[in-house]
Amino acid sequence: MKNLKTYNSFSKSVLAIASLIVLCFVFASFYKQQAKWIAPESAKNVKNPVASNAASIAAGKVIYTKECLQCHGKKGLGDGPNSATLDKAPAPLNNPDVKSQTDGELFWKIKEGKKPMPSTKNTLTDEQRWQVLNYVRTLGK
């Protein structure tokens, strides 16, 4: 009888631990899905009104150097001098996941920001954001 009580107690402990592990995986999966930064559907089809030419790319590079390089790095690899101090590493801008996003999606992200990336609503004009985007599109080519 004592062995049966020990077995039942052990079984309950194993079941509790297994349940806890499953719960951890469920929450981790949910968090990972929530952590992905997705622009709203309305941003997807917004077209870049600034021509991607030598002038806009050069202007975008100047702004990128001042506003983005410290975290995203000189070549947009997410390895800027400040990147090591951030809670979350900046995405490499030549990453296929970033490159596959539309101009409208990236423009929205540049404008809105998401910690640790600051919003540029009060620091850049729309034209400057589009110029930065034109420059970012040249990184990794």
Side-chain angles (χ1 to χ4, degrees), residues 1-66:
M1 200 62 154
K2 185 176 180 183
N3 286 344
L4 185 58
K5 285 183 183 178
T6 303
Y7 177 77
N8 283 340
S9 178
F10 177 75
S11 296
K12 288 179 183 177
S13 296
V14 169
L15 183 60
I17 291 170
S19 298
L20 187 60
I21 290 170
V22 168
L23 256 156
C24 287
F25 278 112
V26 168
F27 283 125
S29 175
F30 177 75
Y31 176 76
K32 188 173 182 180
Q33 289 174 353
Q34 296 299 317
K36 187 169 179 155
W37 191 12
I38 300 172
E41 196 64 32
S42 60
K44 202 173 258 188
N45 296 321
V46 175
K47 301 295 180 204
N48 185 341
V50 176
S52 182
N53 56 34
S56 74
I57 291 169
K61 182 178 182 178
V62 170
I63 298 162
Y64 177 92
T65 300
K66 183 180 177 213

Side-chain angles (χ1 to χ4, degrees), residues 36-40 43-46 91-93 95-110 130 133 136-137:
K36 187 169 179 155
W37 191 12
I38 300 172
K44 202 173 258 188
N45 296 321
V46 175
L93 300 175
N95 177 311
D97 185 49
V98 174
K99 288 219 172 254
S100 68
Q101 294 177 54
T102 68
D103 284 354
E105 289 171 299
L106 294 177
F107 175 87
W108 181 87
K109 289 180 178 186
I110 292 168
W130 289 119
L133 180 57
V136 164
R137 292 287 193 201

